[in-house]
Amino acid sequence: MLVQRHQDRVFNLAYQVVRNREDALDVAQEAFVKAYASLPGFKGDASFTTWMHRIVVNLALDCLRRQRRGDPTVYDDRLAVSDEAAQSLAAPDDPETALETRQVRSLLGRGIQALRPAHRAVLILREIEGSSYEEIARAVGCSLGTVTSRLFYVRRKLQKVLRPNLDDLR
Amino acid sequence: MNLAHWLHTLRGEGRRLAAYAADELSPAERARVAFVVEACPACRRKVEAYQRATAALRALPRAGLTTEEAAAFLPEVNRRIDQGRAMMARPARPGLREMVWDHPRLSLASACTAILLIIATSAS
């Protein structure tokens, strides 16, 4: 029951960090196995979601580290997957707006892809999962100051990535 | 010194504008930065750029499981948990003491070899 309630959210978080469906599925399933094994140690000082986020983020970062050690080209290969995913996402009916939306999403996908995984995790937790700074600090295992710095860094970076495109749309 | 100038002289001006765009400032600081943004066209452009980037990011659709993946998800988690349990339940590899008791001849031969090696090493 708990798994079914959280599986989509956990998969989405894993996917946003690893940017590959197969790996994300593996990370998400492994996260529940790990959560099951660690459940006796769950003290309840953080919410279940925050606790789960921490497990998912750590597993996702481990997954990326393993792959980058084994095959440095994997990271670049995924750019295509990410871009394709961005292109295929549902867009508005109006063809012009749909094209613009796809362009922005594609750029955003590339921008997110280019971020360091630890920075990407912070961004995803904040902007897509809507976690608070404290929850992110717990999930990623860093200080509040680091969360603030990383968020500023990635926001500035993405804003720069999108700037030419967004200026055209004004 | 006006407020815009005050903001530009502050360390972390960009951070404040980014946090303002994401609506993450305290009410007092938000009011101060809002005043600056009104008065400073360059600041306003920066805030608008941050806001558009944030809005685009928040509008990104979530990656979801397909029906097949969703249906197979829990069984796979259960399979992995069972596999982990089975590994835990497997008898541990015998320790040195058990090895000695189970294979006395082999142990005696190993001890003799070790003694011979020590004698040979010290003699040379």
Side-chain angles (χ1 to χ4, degrees):
Chain A
M1 207 60 168
L2 197 66
V3 173
Q4 282 160 335
R5 197 187 312 155
H6 291 272
Q7 64 186 33
D8 255 311
R9 196 169 184 174
V10 165
F11 171 75
N12 178 55
L13 177 58
Y15 177 78
Q16 300 294 350
V17 180
V18 299
R19 315 293 291 173
N20 172 289
R21 285 194 74 86
E22 201 179 319
D23 291 339
L25 195 57
D26 182 54
V27 164
Q29 284 163 339
E30 206 51 42
F32 281 105
V33 174
K34 201 162 182 186
Y36 176 81
S38 317
L39 212 51
F42 175 54
K43 295 181 189 114
D45 50 354
S47 74
F48 178 77
T49 308
T50 307
W51 184 65
M52 237 3 240
H53 280 168
R54 183 182 188 124
I55 294 175
V56 177
V57 167
N58 284 333
L59 285 173
L61 295 179
D62 282 349
C63 169
L64 289 176
R65 266 185 227 117
R66 269 198 312 275
Q67 290 180 347
R68 289 170 81 183
R69 264 204 302 270
D71 180 2
T73 61
V74 168
Y75 195 72
D76 288 334
D77 286 344
R78 290 190 189 165
L79 203 67
V81 175
S82 160
D83 200 28
E84 183 191 317
Q87 295 284 348
S88 66
L89 294 169
D93 290 338
D94 170 33
E96 202 176 330
T97 316
L99 179 66
E100 287 164 359
T101 307
R102 273 204 300 274
Q103 282 173 344
V104 169
R105 283 177 181 169
S106 175
L107 275 175
L108 208 50
R110 284 168 185 270
I112 294 172
Q113 183 75 44
L115 295 173
R116 285 172 55 190
H119 288 180
R120 202 185 305 152
V122 168
L123 177 80
I124 299 308
L125 284 170
R126 178 67 194 160
E127 303 295 8
I128 296 180
E129 291 297 321
S131 305
S132 69
Y133 278 43
E134 288 80 8
E135 286 169 337
I136 298 170
R138 277 200 212 107
V140 180
C142 63
S143 68
L144 271 179
T146 306
V147 172
T148 311
S149 308
R150 284 184 184 172
L151 266 177
F152 173 61
Y153 172 80
V154 295
R155 280 172 175 161
R156 192 176 52 183
K157 196 152 190 170
L158 289 182
Q159 176 250 319
K160 281 181 184 164
V161 165
L162 289 179
R163 191 187 286 161
N165 192 280
L166 291 171
D167 283 347
D168 288 347
L169 303 182
R170 293 178 81 186
Chain B
M1 185 171 71
N2 63 24
L3 265 175
H5 183 71
W6 163 80
L7 185 76
H8 293 317
T9 56
L10 276 181
R11 242 182 116 231
E13 169 205 348
R15 280 174 198 235
R16 276 183 177 76
L17 291 176
Y20 173 81
D23 201 11
E24 289 173 355
L25 293 177
S26 67
E29 198 161 20
R30 179 167 181 78
R32 265 206 304 261
V33 177
F35 192 79
V36 174
V37 170
E38 274 299 305
C40 164
C43 302
R44 199 160 54 242
R45 277 196 297 278
K46 273 188 192 170
V47 167
E48 283 168 3
Y50 278 125
Q51 280 170 338
R52 286 197 300 271
T54 305
L57 199 59
R58 288 179 183 169
L60 274 182
R62 302 171 75 88
L65 292 164
T66 63
T67 315
E68 293 78 28
E69 286 168 341
F73 196 94
L74 184 58
E76 174 60 16
V77 171
N78 285 331
R79 190 193 66 75
R80 290 183 190 197
I81 290 173
D82 290 342
Q83 194 180 36
R85 276 196 195 128
M87 282 180 74
M88 294 286 282
R90 196 184 297 167
R93 286 178 63 191
L96 183 64
R97 187 178 292 177
E98 288 79 11
M99 290 275 282
V100 169
W101 283 112
D102 291 349
H103 308 281
R105 282 185 192 166
L106 187 66
S107 307
L108 187 64
S110 306
C112 289
T113 311
I115 291 167
L116 283 173
L117 272 173
I118 292 167
I119 293 170
T121 315
S122 53
S124 64

